Amino acid sequence: MHDVLVLGGGMVGVSTALALQAAGRDAAFIDRQDVGQETSYDNAGVIQTEAVEPHPLPLALTTFIRSAFTRSNDVNYHLTALPAYLCPLWLYFTLSLPARHKEISRTYAGLVRRATADRAPLIAVAGADNLIRRTGLRFVYRSQQGIDASTAEAERISRDYGVEVAIESPSELAQAESHLKPGLAGAVHWPETWSCAAPGELTRSYAALFASRGGRIVTADVTSPGGDVSAKEIVVAPGPWSPMLRKRGYHRHSTGGGTLNAPMLLGESATVLSPMQKGLRVLTGAELASSTPVQLQRSTAAASELIDLGEPVETGPWYGSRPCMPDVLPLAGKAPLHKGLWFHFGHSHQRFTLGPTNAALLAEEMTSGSAPVPDLSPARLRYL
């Protein structure tokens, strides 16, 4: 019998197993397929140390209307699905009001700002440094209005949280990223952010490290694992299968695009371009419920105006879900009603960034008995 069994073999689950192993616990993890095949593969591969404030629900009337009528590419939804989303969306709205959002951001920033420091030793010992770029992240804009608004917000973030930022003119941007077409108004560059050329491969390298240290990896359905898999405690880290609000996201690789030096967000189209081993990955915003191609079509069109994409690598897009808590903060701690049960999920857009950091915090709680960050406790569910 193991001390702890972790349910989930994505970035969050594998990081949790590694952290518990490092804390001296006999840990194992189980997943229904190979490591890093779900949303640990389907993401931009960005460790976002600049994302110190979680995305609130748009409160400005014009922005809200654009989202409500799907005139922007940030969000797409289906009317038939809305009834199931009304309660969590209402909670999301109340927790996006300025005072509460500011309070949440203090906790969130404390997690995000330590993300690269927590990940660096894992990358080194797993022999995965070749997958990591330390070239930052760019937000690029076509309009002067867009770059001006983003500059003002970036300077506020830098001032309030101590995040390094650089504002790049069109010529500076062209020098940094020579494959971009002309016509951009500039970029906001966040140099402290890291990125990964193969997120699934990085997750697998962590799993290999866990196994090399004596950890057990089981590939089976958790509802009927087969064989002898038992433990005194269980950590639930199911990633996209978490029982909560899910936002769907899409990506597709292309053969062109040259070689971007850093991933970039196209500010006016809610599109991310991220250079990967498989090619240039084009990623979309969020969709609620049914699968439709509209967001990826818009994102591909926007990317094509900026860079020569070439041909698609896959025959169709990849898509996955991002499980979200209404207050945006993940769950990482003891289940309020069941002894020996622990939660670690609900990271929304930042599971790749926050997985190892929250895993370290959870392992500390499981070994010391005190919660390092009480705001992450599942006990807060009763107040949501």
Side-chain angles (χ1 to χ4, degrees):
M1 176 180 288
H2 299 284
D3 287 341
V4 188
L5 176 63
V6 180
L7 308 184
M11 176 57 72
V12 173
V14 174
S15 297
T16 301
L18 266 174
L20 288 166
Q21 186 184 59
R25 305 294 298 274
D26 174 24
F29 74 81
I30 183 171
D31 200 294
R32 67 192 183 104
Q33 58 181 331
D34 290 339
V35 172
Q37 296 298 307
E38 299 283 357
T39 48
S40 291
Y41 165 76
D42 177 34
N43 61 74
V46 182
I47 305 167
Q48 282 190 258
T49 55
E50 92 295 339
V52 289
E53 293 183 346
H55 297 292
L57 194 71
L59 300 181
L61 183 59
T62 54
T63 305
F64 183 82
I65 290 174
R66 281 174 57 81
S67 297
F69 288 93
T70 63
R71 293 176 183 171
S72 70
N73 203 34
D74 300 71
V75 178
N76 188 53
Y77 67 91
H78 304 267
L79 288 174
T80 55
L82 281 186
Y85 285 84
L86 288 179
C87 181
L89 284 174
W90 171 250
L91 288 170
Y92 185 23
F93 170 79
T94 61
L95 294 165
S96 296
L97 296 173
R100 184 69 177 110
H101 184 258
K102 185 176 182 180
E103 180 182 343
I104 291 169
S105 294
R106 282 195 292 268
T107 298
Y108 202 81
L111 301 171
V112 166
R113 292 299 288 157
R114 57 178 280 183
T116 52
D118 288 335
R119 192 178 287 266
L122 287 178
I123 291 169
V125 74
D129 197 67
N130 63 307
L131 299 175
I132 304 301
R133 297 186 183 92
R134 295 170 176 82
T135 53
L137 169 69
R138 287 184 170 88
F139 296 178
V140 303
Y141 297 88
R142 285 192 170 278
S143 70
Q144 191 62 45
Q145 181 182 8
I147 187 64
D148 287 347
S150 186
T151 295
E153 179 67 1
E155 289 174 344
R156 181 189 69 80
I157 292 291
S158 179
R159 181 174 60 252
D160 290 352
Y161 297 96
V163 185
E164 184 180 349
V165 67
I167 310 303
E168 296 177 335
S169 67
S171 60
E172 290 169 330
L173 174 58
Q175 184 175 4
E177 298 288 3
S178 60
H179 295 282
L180 297 180
K181 297 177 183 179
L184 290 167
V188 173
H189 183 212
W190 302 98
E192 295 177 300
T193 287
W194 295 1
S195 60
C196 177
E201 186 63 32
L202 182 63
T203 306
R204 286 187 287 275
S205 75
Y206 289 177
L209 175 62
F210 174 74
S212 73
R213 292 173 170 176
R216 183 183 179 190
I217 302 172
V218 181
T219 303
D221 190 321
V222 296
T223 60
S224 55
D228 181 17
V229 183
S230 58
K232 299 173 185 176
E233 296 180 285
I234 292 177
V235 178
V236 181
W241 307 110
S242 305
M244 59 182 62
L245 174 67
R246 295 178 185 173
K247 298 187 290 185
R248 190 185 298 272
Y250 301 80
H251 83 238
R252 199 174 189 182
H253 294 94
S254 69
T255 58
T259 304
L260 289 179
N261 293 317
M264 59 180 56
L265 168 71
L266 314 187
E268 284 97 350
S269 65
T271 297
V272 174
L273 304 181
S274 194
M276 297 281 174
Q277 287 182 343
K278 290 184 66 174
L280 185 65
R281 183 175 287 186
V282 179
L283 302 104
T284 70
E287 182 179 56
L288 303 183
S290 302
S291 172
T292 55
V294 61
Q295 282 179 298
L296 189 60
Q297 289 172 353
R298 291 173 179 171
S299 290
T300 301
S304 298
E305 295 176 354
L306 188 67
I307 198 166
D308 292 321
L309 289 180
E311 297 299 319
V313 173
E314 303 94 346
T315 56
W318 172 282
Y319 63 87
S321 297
R322 303 154 176 157
C324 310
M325 289 296 297
D327 65 352
V328 187
L329 293 171
L331 294 177
K334 184 186 299 183
L337 301 178
H338 303 284
K339 184 178 180 180
L341 182 63
W342 302 80
F343 292 159
H344 192 193
F345 54 81
H347 295 77
S348 187
H349 297 267
Q350 298 298 346
R351 61 200 172 279
F352 192 73
T353 296
L354 293 178
T357 292
N358 285 359
L361 294 169
L362 180 62
E364 182 181 344
E365 181 177 354
M366 292 180 71
T367 53
S368 72
S370 59
V373 184
D375 287 350
L376 303 185
S377 170
R380 77 180 194 275
L381 288 170
R382 70 190 69 174
Y383 302 113
L384 295 179

Short mmCIF file of all heavy atoms in Angstrom, two decimals, residues 263-320:
data_model
loop_
_atom_site.label_atom_id
_atom_site.label_comp_id
_atom_site.label_asym_id
_atom_site.label_seq_id
_atom_site.Cartn_x
_atom_site.Cartn_y
_atom_site.Cartn_z
N PRO A 263 6.84 33.36 -27.74
CA PRO A 263 5.41 33.31 -28.01
C PRO A 263 4.81 34.71 -27.95
O PRO A 263 5.36 35.61 -27.31
CB PRO A 263 4.85 32.41 -26.91
CG PRO A 263 5.89 32.38 -25.85
CD PRO A 263 7.20 32.64 -26.51
N MET A 264 3.66 34.88 -28.61
CA MET A 264 3.03 36.20 -28.61
C MET A 264 1.52 36.09 -28.61
O MET A 264 0.94 35.17 -29.18
CB MET A 264 3.51 37.05 -29.79
CG MET A 264 3.27 36.49 -31.16
SD MET A 264 3.89 37.62 -32.46
CE MET A 264 5.60 37.80 -31.98
N LEU A 265 0.92 37.06 -27.94
CA LEU A 265 -0.52 37.23 -27.93
C LEU A 265 -0.87 38.32 -28.93
O LEU A 265 -0.32 39.42 -28.86
CB LEU A 265 -1.02 37.62 -26.54
CG LEU A 265 -2.46 38.12 -26.44
CD1 LEU A 265 -3.44 36.97 -26.65
CD2 LEU A 265 -2.72 38.80 -25.10
N LEU A 266 -1.77 38.03 -29.86
CA LEU A 266 -2.27 39.04 -30.78
C LEU A 266 -3.44 39.72 -30.09
O LEU A 266 -4.54 39.16 -29.99
CB LEU A 266 -2.71 38.41 -32.10
CG LEU A 266 -1.73 37.39 -32.73
CD1 LEU A 266 -2.21 36.98 -34.11
CD2 LEU A 266 -0.32 37.95 -32.79
N GLY A 267 -3.20 40.92 -29.58
CA GLY A 267 -4.13 41.55 -28.66
C GLY A 267 -5.51 41.78 -29.21
O GLY A 267 -6.51 41.62 -28.50
N GLU A 268 -5.63 42.14 -30.49
CA GLU A 268 -6.95 42.45 -31.03
C GLU A 268 -7.77 41.23 -31.39
O GLU A 268 -8.97 41.33 -31.62
CB GLU A 268 -6.82 43.34 -32.28
CG GLU A 268 -6.49 44.80 -31.98
CD GLU A 268 -5.02 45.13 -32.11
OE1 GLU A 268 -4.22 44.17 -32.24
OE2 GLU A 268 -4.67 46.31 -32.07
N SER A 269 -7.15 40.05 -31.42
CA SER A 269 -7.90 38.86 -31.86
C SER A 269 -7.90 37.73 -30.85
O SER A 269 -8.39 36.64 -31.15
CB SER A 269 -7.32 38.33 -33.18
OG SER A 269 -5.99 37.88 -32.99
N ALA A 270 -7.39 37.96 -29.65
CA ALA A 270 -7.34 36.92 -28.60
C ALA A 270 -6.75 35.63 -29.15
O ALA A 270 -7.27 34.54 -28.93
CB ALA A 270 -8.74 36.68 -28.05
N THR A 271 -5.64 35.76 -29.85
CA THR A 271 -4.95 34.63 -30.46
C THR A 271 -3.54 34.55 -29.91
O THR A 271 -2.89 35.58 -29.72
CB THR A 271 -4.89 34.80 -31.99
OG1 THR A 271 -6.22 34.82 -32.51
CG2 THR A 271 -4.08 33.70 -32.66
N VAL A 272 -3.06 33.33 -29.65
CA VAL A 272 -1.69 33.14 -29.20
C VAL A 272 -0.93 32.35 -30.26
O VAL A 272 -1.44 31.35 -30.79
CB VAL A 272 -1.65 32.41 -27.84
CG1 VAL A 272 -0.20 32.08 -27.45
CG2 VAL A 272 -2.29 33.26 -26.76
N LEU A 273 0.27 32.79 -30.56
CA LEU A 273 1.19 32.07 -31.43
C LEU A 273 2.35 31.59 -30.58
O LEU A 273 3.01 32.40 -29.93
CB LEU A 273 1.70 32.96 -32.56
CG LEU A 273 0.67 33.64 -33.45
CD1 LEU A 273 1.35 34.47 -34.52
CD2 LEU A 273 -0.27 32.62 -34.08
N SER A 274 2.60 30.29 -30.61
CA SER A 274 3.66 29.74 -29.77
C SER A 274 4.52 28.79 -30.58
O SER A 274 4.01 27.81 -31.13
CB SER A 274 3.06 29.02 -28.56
OG SER A 274 4.04 28.75 -27.59
N PRO A 275 5.83 29.06 -30.71
CA PRO A 275 6.71 28.16 -31.47
C PRO A 275 6.93 26.85 -30.72
O PRO A 275 7.30 26.85 -29.55
CB PRO A 275 8.00 28.96 -31.60
CG PRO A 275 7.98 29.94 -30.46
CD PRO A 275 6.54 30.24 -30.18
N MET A 276 6.66 25.75 -31.40
CA MET A 276 6.76 24.42 -30.81
C MET A 276 7.66 23.53 -31.67
O MET A 276 7.97 23.86 -32.81
CB MET A 276 5.36 23.78 -30.72
CG MET A 276 4.39 24.52 -29.82
SD MET A 276 4.72 24.14 -28.09
CE MET A 276 3.58 25.28 -27.29
N GLN A 277 8.01 22.38 -31.15
CA GLN A 277 8.77 21.40 -31.92
C GLN A 277 8.01 20.95 -33.16
O GLN A 277 8.61 20.69 -34.20
CB GLN A 277 9.11 20.19 -31.05
CG GLN A 277 10.17 20.43 -30.00
CD GLN A 277 10.49 19.18 -29.20
OE1 GLN A 277 9.72 18.21 -29.20
NE2 GLN A 277 11.62 19.18 -28.50
N LYS A 278 6.67 20.88 -33.07
CA LYS A 278 5.86 20.41 -34.19
C LYS A 278 5.57 21.50 -35.21
O LYS A 278 5.00 21.22 -36.26
CB LYS A 278 4.53 19.84 -33.67
CG LYS A 278 4.65 18.54 -32.92
CD LYS A 278 3.30 17.99 -32.54
CE LYS A 278 2.48 17.59 -33.75
NZ LYS A 278 1.21 16.92 -33.37
N GLY A 279 5.91 22.74 -34.91
CA GLY A 279 5.60 23.86 -35.78
C GLY A 279 5.08 25.03 -34.98
O GLY A 279 5.18 25.06 -33.75
N LEU A 280 4.51 25.99 -35.66
CA LEU A 280 3.94 27.16 -34.97
C LEU A 280 2.52 26.83 -34.52
O LEU A 280 1.65 26.52 -35.34
CB LEU A 280 3.92 28.37 -35.91
CG LEU A 280 3.47 29.68 -35.26
CD1 LEU A 280 4.46 30.13 -34.20
CD2 LEU A 280 3.29 30.78 -36.32
N ARG A 281 2.29 26.87 -33.22
CA ARG A 281 0.99 26.53 -32.66
C ARG A 281 0.12 27.78 -32.59
O ARG A 281 0.52 28.78 -31.98
CB ARG A 281 1.15 25.90 -31.28
CG ARG A 281 -0.14 25.43 -30.63
CD ARG A 281 0.10 24.71 -29.30
NE ARG A 281 0.68 23.38 -29.51
CZ ARG A 281 0.88 22.50 -28.52
NH1 ARG A 281 0.56 22.82 -27.26
NH2 ARG A 281 1.40 21.32 -28.78
N VAL A 282 -1.06 27.73 -33.21
CA VAL A 282 -2.04 28.81 -33.15
C VAL A 282 -3.11 28.40 -32.15
O VAL A 282 -3.74 27.35 -32.31
CB VAL A 282 -2.67 29.07 -34.54
CG1 VAL A 282 -3.71 30.19 -34.45
CG2 VAL A 282 -1.59 29.42 -35.56
N LEU A 283 -3.33 29.22 -31.12
CA LEU A 283 -4.27 28.88 -30.06
C LEU A 283 -5.35 29.93 -29.94
O LEU A 283 -5.14 31.10 -30.24
CB LEU A 283 -3.54 28.76 -28.71
CG LEU A 283 -2.40 27.73 -28.66
CD1 LEU A 283 -1.06 28.43 -28.72
CD2 LEU A 283 -2.50 26.89 -27.39
N THR A 284 -6.53 29.50 -29.46
CA THR A 284 -7.70 30.36 -29.40
C THR A 284 -8.02 30.80 -27.97
O THR A 284 -7.41 30.35 -27.01
CB THR A 284 -8.93 29.63 -29.94
OG1 THR A 284 -9.30 28.58 -29.01
CG2 THR A 284 -8.65 29.01 -31.30
N GLY A 285 -9.07 31.63 -27.89
CA GLY A 285 -9.66 31.99 -26.61
C GLY A 285 -10.54 30.86 -26.09
O GLY A 285 -10.33 29.69 -26.42
N ALA A 286 -11.56 31.19 -25.31
CA ALA A 286 -12.38 30.18 -24.62
C ALA A 286 -13.73 30.00 -25.30
O ALA A 286 -14.32 30.95 -25.82
CB ALA A 286 -12.60 30.60 -23.17
N GLU A 287 -14.22 28.77 -25.26
CA GLU A 287 -15.55 28.46 -25.76
C GLU A 287 -16.32 27.70 -24.70
O GLU A 287 -15.76 26.82 -24.02
CB GLU A 287 -15.47 27.61 -27.04
CG GLU A 287 -16.84 27.28 -27.62
CD GLU A 287 -16.74 26.46 -28.90
OE1 GLU A 287 -16.11 25.39 -28.84
OE2 GLU A 287 -17.25 26.89 -29.93
N LEU A 288 -17.59 28.04 -24.53
CA LEU A 288 -18.44 27.36 -23.57
C LEU A 288 -19.30 26.35 -24.32
O LEU A 288 -20.06 26.71 -25.21
CB LEU A 288 -19.35 28.36 -22.83
CG LEU A 288 -18.62 29.49 -22.09
CD1 LEU A 288 -19.63 30.35 -21.35
CD2 LEU A 288 -17.59 28.94 -21.11
N ALA A 289 -19.13 25.08 -23.96
CA ALA A 289 -19.93 23.96 -24.48
C ALA A 289 -19.52 23.54 -25.87
O ALA A 289 -18.35 23.39 -26.15
CB ALA A 289 -21.41 24.28 -24.40
N SER A 290 -20.48 23.40 -26.79
CA SER A 290 -20.30 22.66 -28.04
C SER A 290 -19.07 23.09 -28.84
O SER A 290 -18.65 24.23 -28.81
CB SER A 290 -21.54 22.82 -28.91
OG SER A 290 -22.68 22.36 -28.24
N SER A 291 -18.56 22.12 -29.59
CA SER A 291 -17.37 22.34 -30.39
C SER A 291 -17.73 22.95 -31.74
O SER A 291 -18.52 22.39 -32.50
CB SER A 291 -16.65 21.01 -30.61
OG SER A 291 -15.60 21.15 -31.52
N THR A 292 -17.18 24.12 -32.05
CA THR A 292 -17.36 24.76 -33.35
C THR A 292 -16.02 25.32 -33.80
O THR A 292 -15.16 25.63 -32.99
CB THR A 292 -18.39 25.91 -33.27
OG1 THR A 292 -17.98 26.83 -32.26
CG2 THR A 292 -19.78 25.39 -32.94
N PRO A 293 -15.83 25.49 -35.12
CA PRO A 293 -14.53 25.93 -35.62
C PRO A 293 -14.35 27.44 -35.69
O PRO A 293 -13.29 27.90 -36.11
CB PRO A 293 -14.51 25.34 -37.04
CG PRO A 293 -15.95 25.35 -37.46
CD PRO A 293 -16.74 25.09 -36.21
N VAL A 294 -15.33 28.22 -35.25
CA VAL A 294 -15.31 29.65 -35.53
C VAL A 294 -14.11 30.36 -34.92
O VAL A 294 -13.47 31.20 -35.58
CB VAL A 294 -16.63 30.32 -35.08
CG1 VAL A 294 -16.86 30.17 -33.58
CG2 VAL A 294 -16.65 31.79 -35.47
N GLN A 295 -13.76 30.06 -33.68
CA GLN A 295 -12.65 30.77 -33.04
C GLN A 295 -11.32 30.45 -33.71
O GLN A 295 -10.51 31.35 -33.94
CB GLN A 295 -12.59 30.44 -31.56
CG GLN A 295 -13.62 31.19 -30.72
CD GLN A 295 -13.52 30.80 -29.26
OE1 GLN A 295 -13.72 29.64 -28.91
NE2 GLN A 295 -13.21 31.75 -28.41
N LEU A 296 -11.10 29.19 -34.02
CA LEU A 296 -9.84 28.83 -34.67
C LEU A 296 -9.76 29.43 -36.07
O LEU A 296 -8.68 29.83 -36.52
CB LEU A 296 -9.67 27.32 -34.72
CG LEU A 296 -8.29 26.84 -35.18
CD1 LEU A 296 -7.19 27.36 -34.25
CD2 LEU A 296 -8.24 25.32 -35.25
N GLN A 297 -10.88 29.51 -36.76
CA GLN A 297 -10.90 30.14 -38.08
C GLN A 297 -10.50 31.61 -37.96
O GLN A 297 -9.69 32.12 -38.75
CB GLN A 297 -12.28 30.01 -38.70
CG GLN A 297 -12.63 28.60 -39.14
CD GLN A 297 -14.08 28.46 -39.58
OE1 GLN A 297 -14.89 29.38 -39.44
NE2 GLN A 297 -14.43 27.30 -40.12
N ARG A 298 -11.07 32.30 -36.98
CA ARG A 298 -10.74 33.71 -36.78
C ARG A 298 -9.27 33.88 -36.39
O ARG A 298 -8.58 34.77 -36.87
CB ARG A 298 -11.63 34.31 -35.69
CG ARG A 298 -13.11 34.45 -36.07
CD ARG A 298 -13.90 34.88 -34.83
NE ARG A 298 -15.31 35.06 -35.11
CZ ARG A 298 -16.23 35.26 -34.16
NH1 ARG A 298 -15.85 35.28 -32.88
NH2 ARG A 298 -17.49 35.43 -34.49
N SER A 299 -8.81 33.01 -35.49
CA SER A 299 -7.42 33.12 -35.02
C SER A 299 -6.43 32.83 -36.14
O SER A 299 -5.40 33.49 -36.26
CB SER A 299 -7.19 32.16 -33.85
OG SER A 299 -7.89 32.59 -32.70
N THR A 300 -6.74 31.84 -36.97
CA THR A 300 -5.87 31.51 -38.09
C THR A 300 -5.81 32.65 -39.08
O THR A 300 -4.73 32.99 -39.61
CB THR A 300 -6.35 30.22 -38.77
OG1 THR A 300 -6.37 29.15 -37.82
CG2 THR A 300 -5.44 29.85 -39.93
N ALA A 301 -6.97 33.27 -39.34
CA ALA A 301 -7.00 34.42 -40.25
C ALA A 301 -6.18 35.58 -39.70
O ALA A 301 -5.42 36.22 -40.43
CB ALA A 301 -8.44 34.85 -40.50
N ALA A 302 -6.31 35.86 -38.40
CA ALA A 302 -5.55 36.94 -37.78
C ALA A 302 -4.06 36.65 -37.81
O ALA A 302 -3.24 37.53 -38.08
CB ALA A 302 -6.02 37.15 -36.34
N ALA A 303 -3.69 35.41 -37.54
CA ALA A 303 -2.27 35.03 -37.57
C ALA A 303 -1.69 35.14 -38.99
O ALA A 303 -0.54 35.56 -39.17
CB ALA A 303 -2.10 33.61 -37.05
N SER A 304 -2.49 34.80 -39.99
CA SER A 304 -2.03 34.86 -41.38
C SER A 304 -1.74 36.28 -41.83
O SER A 304 -0.92 36.49 -42.73
CB SER A 304 -3.08 34.23 -42.30
OG SER A 304 -3.27 32.86 -42.00
N GLU A 305 -2.42 37.25 -41.24
CA GLU A 305 -2.15 38.65 -41.55
C GLU A 305 -0.83 39.11 -40.96
O GLU A 305 -0.29 40.13 -41.36
CB GLU A 305 -3.29 39.53 -41.04
CG GLU A 305 -4.62 39.28 -41.73
CD GLU A 305 -5.74 40.10 -41.12
OE1 GLU A 305 -5.48 40.78 -40.09
OE2 GLU A 305 -6.86 40.06 -41.64
N LEU A 306 -0.33 38.35 -40.00
CA LEU A 306 0.87 38.74 -39.26
C LEU A 306 2.12 37.98 -39.68
O LEU A 306 3.23 38.51 -39.63
CB LEU A 306 0.61 38.53 -37.77
CG LEU A 306 1.65 39.05 -36.78
CD1 LEU A 306 1.69 40.56 -36.80
CD2 LEU A 306 1.31 38.55 -35.37
N ILE A 307 1.92 36.73 -40.11
CA ILE A 307 3.06 35.86 -40.39
C ILE A 307 2.64 34.80 -41.42
O ILE A 307 1.46 34.44 -41.49
CB ILE A 307 3.55 35.20 -39.08
CG1 ILE A 307 4.95 34.64 -39.22
CG2 ILE A 307 2.57 34.15 -38.59
CD1 ILE A 307 5.60 34.31 -37.87
N ASP A 308 3.55 34.33 -42.23
CA ASP A 308 3.25 33.29 -43.22
C ASP A 308 3.16 31.94 -42.50
O ASP A 308 4.17 31.40 -42.04
CB ASP A 308 4.34 33.24 -44.28
CG ASP A 308 4.34 34.48 -45.16
OD1 ASP A 308 3.24 34.96 -45.48
OD2 ASP A 308 5.44 34.97 -45.49
N LEU A 309 1.95 31.40 -42.44
CA LEU A 309 1.73 30.19 -41.66
C LEU A 309 2.15 28.92 -42.39
O LEU A 309 2.47 27.91 -41.76
CB LEU A 309 0.25 30.07 -41.27
CG LEU A 309 -0.26 31.06 -40.23
CD1 LEU A 309 -1.74 30.82 -39.96
CD2 LEU A 309 0.53 30.96 -38.94
N GLY A 310 2.11 28.92 -43.69
CA GLY A 310 2.39 27.68 -44.41
C GLY A 310 1.20 26.74 -44.34
O GLY A 310 0.04 27.18 -44.27
N GLU A 311 1.47 25.44 -44.33
CA GLU A 311 0.40 24.44 -44.33
C GLU A 311 0.13 23.92 -42.92
O GLU A 311 1.05 23.85 -42.09
CB GLU A 311 0.80 23.27 -45.23
CG GLU A 311 0.98 23.64 -46.69
CD GLU A 311 -0.30 24.18 -47.30
OE1 GLU A 311 -1.38 23.62 -46.99
OE2 GLU A 311 -0.22 25.16 -48.07
N PRO A 312 -1.12 23.52 -42.64
CA PRO A 312 -1.40 22.91 -41.33
C PRO A 312 -0.72 21.56 -41.19
O PRO A 312 -0.60 20.81 -42.16
CB PRO A 312 -2.93 22.77 -41.32
CG PRO A 312 -3.34 22.79 -42.76
CD PRO A 312 -2.34 23.65 -43.46
N VAL A 313 -0.27 21.25 -40.00
CA VAL A 313 0.40 19.99 -39.73
C VAL A 313 -0.62 18.87 -39.54
O VAL A 313 -0.49 17.77 -40.09
CB VAL A 313 1.31 20.10 -38.50
CG1 VAL A 313 1.89 18.74 -38.10
CG2 VAL A 313 2.43 21.10 -38.77
N GLU A 314 -1.66 19.12 -38.73
CA GLU A 314 -2.68 18.12 -38.46
C GLU A 314 -3.85 18.24 -39.43
O GLU A 314 -4.10 19.31 -39.99
CB GLU A 314 -3.21 18.25 -37.02
CG GLU A 314 -2.15 18.16 -35.95
CD GLU A 314 -1.61 19.51 -35.52
OE1 GLU A 314 -1.86 20.50 -36.24
OE2 GLU A 314 -0.93 19.57 -34.48
N THR A 315 -4.61 17.16 -39.58
CA THR A 315 -5.79 17.20 -40.44
C THR A 315 -6.92 17.99 -39.81
O THR A 315 -7.81 18.49 -40.51
CB THR A 315 -6.28 15.77 -40.74
OG1 THR A 315 -6.53 15.10 -39.50
CG2 THR A 315 -5.24 15.00 -41.54
N GLY A 316 -6.92 18.10 -38.51
CA GLY A 316 -7.94 18.86 -37.80
C GLY A 316 -7.38 19.44 -36.53
O GLY A 316 -6.28 19.06 -36.09
N PRO A 317 -8.11 20.35 -35.87
CA PRO A 317 -7.59 20.99 -34.65
C PRO A 317 -7.65 20.06 -33.45
O PRO A 317 -8.45 19.14 -33.37
CB PRO A 317 -8.54 22.17 -34.47
CG PRO A 317 -9.82 21.73 -35.09
CD PRO A 317 -9.42 20.88 -36.27
N TRP A 318 -6.77 20.33 -32.51
CA TRP A 318 -6.82 19.71 -31.19
C TRP A 318 -7.69 20.60 -30.31
O TRP A 318 -7.68 21.82 -30.43
CB TRP A 318 -5.41 19.62 -30.61
CG TRP A 318 -5.36 19.16 -29.17
CD1 TRP A 318 -5.62 19.90 -28.06
CD2 TRP A 318 -5.04 17.85 -28.72
NE1 TRP A 318 -5.46 19.15 -26.94
CE2 TRP A 318 -5.11 17.87 -27.31
CE3 TRP A 318 -4.68 16.66 -29.35
CZ2 TRP A 318 -4.85 16.76 -26.53
CZ3 TRP A 318 -4.42 15.55 -28.56
CH2 TRP A 318 -4.50 15.60 -27.17
N TYR A 319 -8.47 19.99 -29.42
CA TYR A 319 -9.18 20.80 -28.45
C TYR A 319 -9.20 20.11 -27.09
O TYR A 319 -9.13 18.88 -27.01
CB TYR A 319 -10.61 21.13 -28.90
CG TYR A 319 -11.53 19.94 -29.07
CD1 TYR A 319 -12.25 19.43 -27.99
CD2 TYR A 319 -11.69 19.32 -30.31
CE1 TYR A 319 -13.09 18.35 -28.14
CE2 TYR A 319 -12.53 18.24 -30.47
CZ TYR A 319 -13.23 17.76 -29.38
OH TYR A 319 -14.06 16.68 -29.52
N GLY A 320 -9.27 20.92 -26.06
CA GLY A 320 -9.32 20.40 -24.70
C GLY A 320 -10.05 21.38 -23.80
O GLY A 320 -10.41 22.48 -24.21
#
